[in-house]
Amino acid sequence: MCGIVGYTGHQDAYNVVINGLRRLEYRGYDSAGIVLDTDNGSFEVAKTKGKVDDLVAVSENLKGRATVGMGHTRWATHGVPSDRNSHPHISNNGKLALVHNGIIENFDAIKTILTDKGFTFKSETDTEVLVNLIQYIMDTKPELDFSIAVRFALNEVYGAYAITVMHADYPGVLVVARLGSPLAIGLGNQEYFIASDASPFVEFTKEAIYLEEGHMATISLEKGVDIRSIKDNSKIDPVVQELKLNIEQIEKGGYEHFMLKEIFEQPKSIHDTMRGRLLVNEGIIKMAGICDHLEKFNNAGRIIIIACGTSWHAGLIGEYLIEEFARIPVEVEYASEFRYRNPIITEKDVVIAISQSGETADTMAALKLAKEKGAFIYGICNVVDSSISRITDAGSYTHAGPEIGVASTKAFTAQLTVLSMIALKLGSHNGTLSTGEFRNLIAELYAIPKKIEEVLETTHDTVKEIAKNYIGAQNFLYLGRGYNFPAALEGALKLKEISYIHAEGYPAAEMKHGPIALIDENMPIVIISPRKGHYDKIVSNVQEIKARKGQVIAIVNKGDDQVTAMADYLIEIPETSECFSPIVASVPLQLLAYYIAVYRGANVDQPRNLAKSVTVE
Ligand code: M6R
């Protein structure tokens, strides 16, 4: 989704903004722009469809011209990606510049009113309407201060936004506001940074204020950061946080892509997820969020898991885990469906939201709905202090470290690790798991990082070779049973996201109810077939595929014989309990998608049309 960077200070604003935009590239975008408040009191604007490199090509002459400015990477909502629709947008009188992440839902009605007043519009965006609304308010009420006019305008719009606004008559001042989309303010030494997340300014300062929902701030070197409520202008005391993020975590560290780096980080990230929580020698799990609320979970009528995309796949595996080990009924819902279907939610329900970014608009809205209805809401997020983590009653961070590649990899396996710990803890607490079973399972879970190390070592070259055969594939089918059915869904999602090959995940047994019609000698089928978990049934499924000449790429355990005898390509992984096998099996699936995409020349870290945090619905 759109990225925002702003700066006021003593450095070259061009460099700070451009470098900051590069750090936000991972969020996904289709155009970019910059505006600087130059020393002669006028705005210099450059914007273009394309990437930050394209922006640099048309704006390098702006280097060294200003110490105040802001930039934007746009993910199109209103109007196609084009130079005209790119941000920043400038008001009709040329005095105001605005960048925006989100959607102004009533922009059309406001546009009609402004058009009647004589305003003209160069773009199809909702953002250009907002900047002109601010101008209109300042024109009609000249006594109003710039920030007050912004506040008035924001009280006229509804939707979701994070904005930064500059006014040519207020040099050095940035006005920012947030409703639904994140915004952080970095506090430097005689300088301030604005950004959609802290990554653009982490090398300059470790102190930041995360703007809260419904708050705005006026920022200048003279007056510092003045935070107010958008609604009633009441003053708000800033909460300054120390950033834990460091620069190495957001760089590629010698890997060709962030996605490959993140796949290879999984032994460590899973270990970090368990660190201090899964104490294998003591035979305990002590994870604060869950341990403090065990009775809440135990007494729950049911658990509802809400999420989107990859996190939804993790939720499905969570359902299997919690129902198997804790015997509490679980439902898993797409957040976007849940929020609009008038669901039955009671005070006895526990709602778990899973979100890597913690900013997904649909998940956030579904969670708010559940909260309104009195459910206990629990978050599983990767990004510390993200919006979702802040509105939940309790939760567990996944601690996978920053995930920059748009395709989620290490965050997914960390989510599975957290869900495993939750299920095992609940089961041991309510007695559905015996002490012996619990101890065996936690020992197995603890061994997963080592097994993933082994998978990375032993399957990397094999998967690379297999991938070469499928550069021209048009379709893929991914099959699995039990715990590995959601793993098949996730494998298919990874492939389509980054390689643009159509792929479907299916429960292997469902194949005969439809997808089998697609199978011929051109159809590659990835089948997850570990020995533990319906192995005999999977063997029959492979036979059915081979009888129709489908090409089988099988993920098997070492020493497998029956599937091995029939498969066209084999990827061998170490054996583990069925319930943890999706964590291990996901790694070669991620590598397969990655290499097919790389060989097809796709932009793996920033796939077309996709965004890392989906902050619009
Ligand atoms: O940040 P979230 O986990 O809430 O994001 C949900 C989905 O947008 C996300 O998982 C998406 O499907 C990824 N691109 C998957 O790789």
Side-chain angles (χ1 to χ4, degrees), residues 134-345:
I134 302 170
Q135 182 198 316
Y136 174 67
I137 291 170
M138 294 188 86
D139 287 348
T140 47
K141 294 191 168 72
E143 71 282 6
L144 289 186
D145 181 73
F146 163 40
S147 63
I148 299 289
V150 173
R151 193 173 74 74
F152 276 27
L154 293 178
N155 279 307
E156 296 301 318
V157 301
Y158 54 85
Y161 53 78
I163 57 163
T164 304
V165 202
M166 287 166 37
H167 193 299
D169 294 344
Y170 292 75
V173 178
L174 297 169
V175 175
V176 300
R178 166 196 180 158
L179 191 75
S181 305
L183 211 55
I185 303 167
L187 312 175
N189 184 11
Q190 280 303 297
E191 56 184 350
Y192 295 100
F193 306 84
I194 318 291
S196 299
D197 65 41
S199 58
F201 55 75
V202 68
E203 75 253 55
F204 300 116
T205 178
K206 290 282 183 225
E207 290 194 339
I209 298 168
Y210 287 92
L211 207 59
E212 298 280 349
E213 285 288 278
H215 291 178
M216 61 185 289
T218 307
I219 301 158
S220 66
L221 292 185
E222 291 71 34
K223 297 192 177 156
V225 180
D226 178 39
I227 305 180
R228 305 272 165 169
S229 148
I230 296 172
K231 201 162 165 208
D232 58 17
N233 204 32
S234 52
K235 197 165 167 59
I236 286 139
D237 289 334
V239 179
V240 179
Q241 307 208 9
E242 197 191 328
L243 297 175
K244 300 274 183 289
L245 193 68
N246 63 53
I247 196 83
E248 294 75 42
Q249 288 177 302
I250 52 172
E251 289 186 336
K252 281 191 206 151
Y255 285 89
E256 200 182 334
H257 295 102
F258 281 110
M259 181 174 173
L260 190 61
K261 175 182 175 231
E262 286 156 9
I263 292 172
F264 271 84
E265 275 173 353
Q266 288 175 107
K268 178 174 183 306
S269 56
I270 295 174
H271 192 262
D272 288 348
T273 306
M274 297 189 292
R275 189 199 305 276
R277 294 165 156 178
L278 193 159
L279 307 179
V280 76
N281 293 332
E282 287 94 320
I284 52 171
I285 287 176
K286 57 172 208 206
M287 195 160 52
I290 199 80
C291 293
D292 296 345
H293 300 283
L294 284 169
E295 287 318 314
K296 200 91 209 163
F297 278 82
N298 249 344
N299 299 330
R302 63 185 171 157
I303 295 172
I304 306 169
I305 299 179
I306 50 173
C308 305
T310 290
S311 299
W312 184 77
H313 296 153
L316 290 178
I317 296 171
E319 175 184 22
Y320 286 41
L321 285 160
I322 296 171
E323 291 203 342
E324 176 169 359
F325 296 124
R327 306 306 293 159
I328 302 171
V330 181
E331 287 168 26
V332 187
E333 299 247 15
Y334 282 118
S336 54
E337 288 299 314
F338 182 81
R339 63 183 287 197
Y340 285 119
R341 70 166 180 78
N342 196 11
I344 299 168
I345 309 164

Side-chain angles (χ1 to χ4, degrees), residues 307-312 354-360 363 388 403 406-409 415 490 493-494 497 610-614:
C308 305
T310 290
S311 299
W312 184 77
I354 308 177
S355 174
Q356 184 285 130
S357 62
E359 300 293 345
T360 302
T363 311
I388 290 176
E403 188 179 69
V406 164
S408 189
T409 52
Q415 288 166 346
E490 174 58 12
L493 178 67
K494 280 295 81 85
E497 278 191 300
L610 292 180
K612 185 67 185 164
S613 59
V614 183

